[in-house]
Amino acid sequence: MSSPATNQISVKLVLLGEAAVGKSSLVLRFVSNDFEENKEPTIGAAFLTQRCTIGDKYIKFEIWDTAGQERFANLTPLYYRNAQAALVVYDITKPASFIKARHWVKELHEQASKNIIIALVGNKYDLTLDSETGEEIEGSRKVSLEEGQNLAEEENLLFFESSAKTGYNVNEMFTTIGEKIPEAIAKKDNTRDQSGGNRIDLNAPAENDIHDSSCSC
Amino acid sequence: MAERRPSGINSRRPSVIPYLAGIEKPVLPSIPSQCDVLICGTGLVESILAAALAWQGSRVLHVDANPYYGDTCATLTIEQIKAWCASVNDGSSGFQGFSKAMLHIPYPHRLNSRDYGIDLSPRVLFAKSDLLSLLINSRVYRYLEFQSLSNFHTFENDTFGKMLSTKEEIFTDQSMTLASKRQLMKMMKFVLEYDLPENKEELETHMHEPFTDYVSNRFHLSSQQINELCYALGLAPKPDISTIQGLSRVRRYLVSFNIYGNFPTLYSKYGGPGEISQGFCRSAAVAGATYKLDCALKSFDPDTKTATFEDGSKVKISEKVVCSPSQAPEGSRNVPERNYEITRLITIVEKSCKEWFAEGESAALVVFPPKSLPSNNQFPVQSIIMGSGTGCCPKDQCVWYLSTIEQGERGRRDLESALKKMEESILRESEDGGFDVELTESDVAVQANGGISVINSVKLGKSFKGFVPKEKLTYLLKLMFTQYTSVAPFGVVSNAVFEKAEENDHPGNGPDLKVIYSSMPSTEISYDGVVTEARLLYSKIVGSDDDFFDVDFEDDEDYEHGPSSESAIVDDAEEFQPEMAFEL
Ligand SMILES: Nc1nc2c(ncn2[C@@H]2O[C@H](COP(=O)(O)OP(=O)(O)OP(=O)(O)O)[C@@H](O)[C@H]2O)c(=O)[nH]1
Ligand SMILES: [Mg+2]
């Protein structure tokens, strides 16, 4: 049996967007196909991982959700560092969240690595539809489809409207990102030496046979 | 369920959708009106404290007057370095934590600001140390990347030597007599066992005598070996250390060997304390702490327990205010004295400096013992060498961090002198493959473990004296400055430092009454002392440090769902390993 580990790709994906637009809900939908109606604002989750197979690729998403830091747009450079993908989320019923999304896109272009794949996500699509008829509820949508598409086009972003509640387009956005990944890895940003061949995993100590036995502290 | 279809295609476009043009700044939210602990300054100690408090359940507001994380131990880009120098020299703020910043950038167009991460106070991490255990327990290590650092070079008699510190190296070395090898091994053994009951008497008798005397009398080591023990392995920042200090320092090195591999120290990629601070800030944020940069404390009123910031906003504090001296409000009266100086010289050179690194590594230490330099230095000069593999600079460049606790003009002279020696050495070693000394077979030492041939590196530096380099070394940046701290060299941060502000509480005494101050970064080149200080501050706030980072992270672990989760994936093994318990 061939081991899937051989072509497993690790992808660091960061989430950005105004409070309550549904970032954590999108992750929850993707990671455990679940939705909570009254989700508490996020504190607590460091990052989640989710593995999926896309074609013949085996992708391990390492998903970084924002914590208290994004409130003042004071994310640490560490947050963006080596992120291969980002979801910039807004709420299509909240124009202010779209303005903030523009801000995050700009920030990503400045701070993140050049080849980062950014997806612009207009979430809460379900709120614009009448659940009985499937018709759009007049006046519910506050950010037009074109508005999002235009921004995505100008800034060279992937674009989705989604609903964490119904699951609409959630897997699609992750899959599309997953499909795009290898190209990005191949043409990796080389200004700083990314090689660092001797990365040490702090959680995997070596066999300790020389000095420890005699250490009595 | 409603049929899914692309939105907007058939539906009418409601006219209420406003057109959102331009990139405006969204309205920022305001800071919380209440918190338990306010921490000003995102240096390493404060960041560890913030995370510890946040995980213990305190509501933490963590601010920094700077637009970046890390405060006095930040990792900065070139543009940030420039701004930092300007602010140090203008002296308008009352704070005197740094002085005499001199910056020289000869070819500004060659430096792309963001390609660099320059540490204001670089450090190396011993593999067996309290910070390392904390990084694991807190899981902050997951946000960071660590790399190994093996080479500790000592400069002696105009040459660079590399300390022989493993059994294999000692046994295979050609330059030592058998007798001296035995003595060295005996010494190393004693270092690991000095606190056993059978050594108690011996230790007590000699504890306070100079380490150098003790080692030379008891083990008959050469003065060069003693220097290497003291200043390279032990990284002692000053001469005349006591036997107990020397022994514990050498032990720190030896017990760190073979924890993660055949090297004693590590460093975090992309920056040292500045990067690790960010890791702890992220951890604190995940635990619910609120972060705000560009936010300077203006005053704290202990009666109403209200802190006011420069932008006019206020927060009520139910517990304490902790503040880095660098972020003390203007007019502060209670900032602890900072009586110790560190002189630092940071350069970026246009050379990879790979000659100094061990196989596959990107960093090294070079130590100049007292009196080894033409400047007749009284104190050692320590330098950390960070190549491009550390993520701190572009390819074929290298960052050199030199420092000494010698003060003022003398300190600056010693650093310049050491810089010159490093320049000569790297030019010589990198020129034409590096050797114009005839190599003999005995210069190639075969390591017992790996079977790799290494050139005896003492030889590399030989015939140094008459060497005239053909090329010149290009400096892309040179930064010298003095840093002050209240932590004595070798001193552990003491509670007394934090008590000062509280003693001093006559009414009307400054805008920083009852503020607890942290110390500035210590003179220590390792991370030792950082966790101790964070714990002390934590106890001052919480009452004890029993539950310092006593967190069960079980629920925070990877979600494993979906069809693929049962597959055997090689790198998963590491994630499910029980946490490694370190004895301290
Ligand atoms: N109707 C609907 N509600 C959603 C959707 N996504 C999220 N919500 C709700 O919106 C609220 C906020 O969702 P979160 O996922 O916590 O938002 P967030 O962006 O992570 O918020 P912060 O962590 O505070 O920044 C919750 O009450 C969710 O139930 C969606 O697609 N449709
Ligand atoms: Mg959230």
Side-chain angles (χ1 to χ4, degrees):
Chain A
M1 193 189 93
S2 75
S3 159
T6 49
N7 56 353
Q8 174 173 297
I9 305 163
S10 238
V11 176
K12 173 174 172 181
L13 180 147
V14 299
L15 281 144
L16 296 165
E18 195 174 64
V21 295
K23 299 180 294 295
S24 305
S25 299
L26 287 169
V27 180
L28 188 65
R29 171 63 70 195
F30 174 59
V31 169
S32 41
N33 198 19
D34 198 3
F35 178 77
E36 289 169 30
E37 199 60 62
N38 286 308
K39 225 190 150 296
E40 298 270 305
T42 306
I43 53 163
F47 51 79
L48 303 170
T49 60
Q50 171 73 337
R51 298 178 175 80
C52 53
T53 320
I54 299 168
D56 59 349
K57 267 181 286 170
Y58 212 79
I59 296 201
K60 176 181 164 194
F61 281 105
E62 187 179 279
I63 303 167
W64 293 46
D65 195 357
T66 53
Q69 280 168 309
E70 95 276 25
R71 213 157 132 195
F72 295 100
N74 290 152
L75 286 172
T76 68
L78 188 108
Y79 191 75
Y80 306 103
R81 169 125 47 243
N82 294 337
Q84 287 122 305
L87 293 184
V88 177
V89 187
Y90 63 96
D91 175 342
I92 58 174
T93 70
K94 298 249 158 50
S97 74
F98 186 74
I99 297 177
K100 187 123 181 195
R102 286 174 175 275
H103 166 80
W104 284 121
V105 170
K106 184 168 165 253
E107 181 89 356
L108 277 170
H109 284 321
E110 283 174 12
Q111 303 267 352
S113 63
K114 290 190 183 56
N115 302 305
I116 187 167
I117 297 163
I118 305 172
L120 180 68
V121 178
N123 191 38
K124 306 203 184 176
Y125 177 62
D126 61 286
L127 290 181
T128 69
L129 300 182
D130 186 309
S131 57
E132 305 279 287
T133 63
E135 295 284 309
E136 177 150 333
I137 305 165
E138 192 163 338
S140 59
R141 169 193 279 274
K142 297 280 167 51
V143 182
S144 73
L145 180 71
E146 284 77 15
E147 194 90 49
Q149 281 171 336
N150 287 343
L151 177 59
E153 218 158 281
E154 280 164 33
E155 303 283 343
N156 198 14
L157 321 170
L158 300 171
F159 178 65
F160 300 92
E161 287 195 339
S162 69
S163 167
K165 188 170 179 177
T166 66
Y168 172 58
N169 261 344
V170 175
N171 283 343
E172 285 79 354
M173 66 179 87
F174 285 93
T175 314
T176 311
I177 287 171
E179 281 164 358
K180 289 224 140 199
I181 281 296
E183 314 159 32
I185 285 178
K187 46 180 187 187
K188 205 159 70 174
D189 183 349
N190 262 334
T191 40
R192 288 214 206 175
D193 198 331
Q194 307 276 329
S195 57
N198 67 332
R199 179 175 188 164
I200 308 298
D201 181 359
L202 291 200
N203 214 17
E207 276 308 301
N208 188 352
D209 50 6
I210 294 192
H211 299 293
D212 202 50
S213 52
S214 48
C215 173
S216 59
C217 45
Chain B
M1 196 176 81
E3 185 201 350
R4 283 183 193 171
R5 54 176 183 175
S7 68
I9 287 177
N10 309 321
S11 50
R12 272 171 300 155
R13 173 106 341 92
S15 53
V16 290
I17 303 175
Y19 179 63
L20 306 164
I23 298 182
E24 304 128 71
K25 271 229 150 148
V27 193
L28 289 177
S30 54
I31 56 166
S33 56
Q34 279 214 323
C35 70
D36 295 327
V37 182
L38 167 66
I39 303 176
C40 306
T42 53
L44 183 52
V45 169
E46 297 82 14
S47 303
I48 294 174
L49 177 68
L53 287 168
W55 282 109
Q56 170 266 345
S58 295
R59 291 169 305 166
V60 175
L61 174 60
H62 197 177
V63 302
D64 198 300
N66 303 301
Y68 50 79
Y69 286 87
D71 192 23
T72 54
C73 62
T75 307
L76 302 178
T77 63
I78 303 296
E79 288 307 318
Q80 288 171 330
I81 286 274
K82 289 183 195 166
W84 179 84
C85 285
S87 82
V88 165
N89 292 335
D90 88 7
S92 58
S93 70
F95 168 63
Q96 292 301 322
F98 297 99
S99 74
K100 295 199 189 62
M102 295 177 277
L103 177 66
H104 181 49
I105 301 178
Y107 315 102
H109 58 282
R110 284 207 225 165
L111 294 178
N112 179 16
S113 175
R114 279 175 187 275
D115 289 347
Y116 299 87
I118 307 296
D119 269 307
L120 290 178
S121 60
R123 293 177 194 277
V124 295
L125 180 63
F126 277 96
K128 193 168 182 115
S129 61
D130 54 0
L131 179 62
L132 198 136
S133 320
L134 184 62
L135 283 165
I136 293 172
N137 289 340
S138 63
R139 299 207 171 178
V140 168
Y141 80 97
R142 289 162 147 239
Y143 299 138
L144 303 161
E145 264 182 62
F146 290 90
Q147 298 179 331
S148 60
L149 189 163
S150 317
N151 278 3
F152 283 45
H153 299 282
T154 320
F155 180 82
E156 193 87 11
N157 299 327
D158 252 2
T159 63
F160 282 98
K162 186 184 158 290
M163 182 64 192
L164 306 167
S165 52
T166 65
K167 258 187 248 173
E168 293 80 6
E169 283 177 319
I170 292 168
F171 283 128
T172 51
D173 183 68
Q174 310 283 334
S175 62
M176 265 193 282
T177 65
L178 198 60
S180 107
K181 282 182 190 176
R182 248 188 233 123
Q183 288 299 334
L184 196 53
M185 290 304 297
K186 230 170 100 184
M187 157 79 198
M188 304 261 184
K189 189 162 182 287
F190 184 72
V191 166
L192 294 170
E193 294 176 350
Y194 67 76
D195 50 0
L196 293 185
E198 62 263 36
N199 292 323
K200 191 167 175 245
E201 209 187 303
E202 158 129 22
L203 186 68
E204 277 174 3
T205 326
H206 300 285
M207 206 149 82
H208 300 295
E209 73 187 50
F211 180 61
T212 25
D213 292 357
Y214 175 72
V215 179
S216 97
N217 295 340
R218 174 90 192 307
F219 301 100
H220 313 288
L221 299 184
S222 71
S223 70
Q224 178 170 346
Q225 285 171 324
I226 293 170
N227 272 344
E228 285 174 347
L229 283 173
C230 206
Y231 303 110
L233 269 57
L235 293 173
K238 60 172 194 183
D240 309 323
I241 60 171
S242 69
T243 296
I244 184 70
Q245 286 174 327
L247 289 172
S248 65
R249 289 225 153 203
V250 177
R251 167 131 100 188
R252 173 178 75 177
Y253 178 101
L254 292 181
V255 298
S256 290
F257 244 96
N258 278 24
I259 299 270
Y260 292 104
N262 203 5
F263 54 85
T265 48
L266 307 101
Y267 59 88
S268 49
K269 204 176 170 181
Y270 307 111
E275 193 74 4
I276 298 182
S277 302
Q278 287 179 43
F280 279 100
C281 288
R282 161 100 180 131
S283 171
V286 164
T290 303
Y291 276 81
K292 187 160 195 231
L293 301 180
D294 259 330
C295 179
L297 180 65
K298 187 162 188 232
S299 65
F300 174 60
D301 179 345
D303 295 330
T304 60
K305 297 206 121 195
T306 305
T308 309
F309 298 101
E310 288 294 348
D311 67 0
S313 53
K314 290 181 191 298
V315 62
K316 271 196 83 100
I317 292 145
S318 61
E319 300 281 339
K320 301 271 185 199
V321 178
V322 178
C323 188
S324 154
S326 58
Q327 314 237 336
E330 236 179 285
S332 289
R333 312 269 287 271
N334 305 300
V335 184
E337 295 292 328
R338 296 168 303 278
N339 295 324
Y340 306 96
E341 276 184 28
I342 313 160
T343 313
R344 296 188 192 276
L345 172 59
I346 301 171
T347 63
I348 300 171
V349 299
E350 222 170 30
K351 267 256 175 271
S352 73
C353 301
K354 59 180 190 306
E355 292 77 9
W356 288 340
F357 307 147
E359 180 84 28
E361 293 191 351
S362 309
L365 284 172
V366 177
V367 171
F368 299 83
K371 304 215 169 65
S372 65
L373 288 166
S375 64
N376 194 27
N377 57 316
Q378 300 302 299
F379 291 87
V381 171
Q382 304 176 322
S383 47
I384 304 181
I385 315 294
M386 293 278 172
S388 67
T390 66
C392 296
C393 65
K395 254 180 124 73
D396 297 319
Q397 296 182 15
C398 193
V399 188
W400 296 354
Y401 295 98
L402 290 73
S403 63
T404 179
I405 61 171
E406 177 63 274
Q407 309 196 342
E409 199 42 50
R410 285 203 58 116
R412 287 189 283 277
R413 218 168 43 227
D414 289 347
L415 295 186
E416 289 287 3
S417 185
L419 183 65
K420 210 158 174 131
K421 288 296 168 198
M422 287 167 62
E423 175 178 339
E424 284 170 15
S425 159
I426 198 64
L427 285 178
R428 169 158 180 24
E429 290 183 30
S430 59
E431 199 162 87
D432 305 325
F435 323 100
D436 56 359
V437 199
E438 282 286 306
L439 282 177
T440 68
E441 224 157 281
S442 68
D443 293 325
V444 182
V446 179
Q447 287 203 322
N449 50 356
I452 324 150
S453 303
V454 288
I455 310 289
N456 185 338
S457 91
V458 179
K459 197 87 176 196
L460 287 180
K462 281 218 175 111
S463 74
F464 212 53
K465 279 176 178 150
F467 172 68
V468 185
K470 286 181 223 147
E471 46 167 343
K472 282 202 72 152
L473 184 63
T474 307
Y475 290 95
L476 294 173
L477 173 144
K478 218 168 147 181
L479 167 66
M480 179 110 82
F481 60 92
T482 306
Q483 187 218 305
Y484 301 87
T485 178
S486 40
V487 190
F490 275 107
V492 174
V493 185
S494 82
N495 230 339
V497 173
F498 310 127
E499 237 102 65
K500 191 183 173 231
E502 297 208 314
E503 289 162 17
N504 219 348
D505 58 352
H506 332 293
N509 211 352
D512 59 341
L513 269 182
K514 298 270 188 187
V515 166
I516 304 172
Y517 283 103
S518 55
S519 315
M520 292 279 290
S522 72
T523 58
E524 175 65 42
I525 200 173
S526 78
Y527 284 94
D528 288 12
V530 168
V531 177
T532 310
E533 184 177 352
R535 274 183 178 271
L536 271 171
L537 289 165
Y538 182 91
S539 312
K540 266 197 90 64
I541 295 162
V542 178
S544 88
D545 66 358
D546 292 347
D547 57 354
F548 183 84
F549 262 111
D550 184 14
V551 189
D552 185 0
F553 283 102
E554 237 156 32
D555 298 335
D556 172 34
E557 234 329 55
D558 293 0
Y559 278 179
E560 291 294 334
H561 292 281
S564 51
S565 60
E566 78 282 357
S567 329
I569 295 165
V570 171
D571 76 348
D572 276 5
E574 102 228 353
E575 299 179 19
F576 295 111
Q577 252 180 21
E579 306 272 335
M580 162 92 183
F582 279 88
E583 322 150 53
L584 292 180

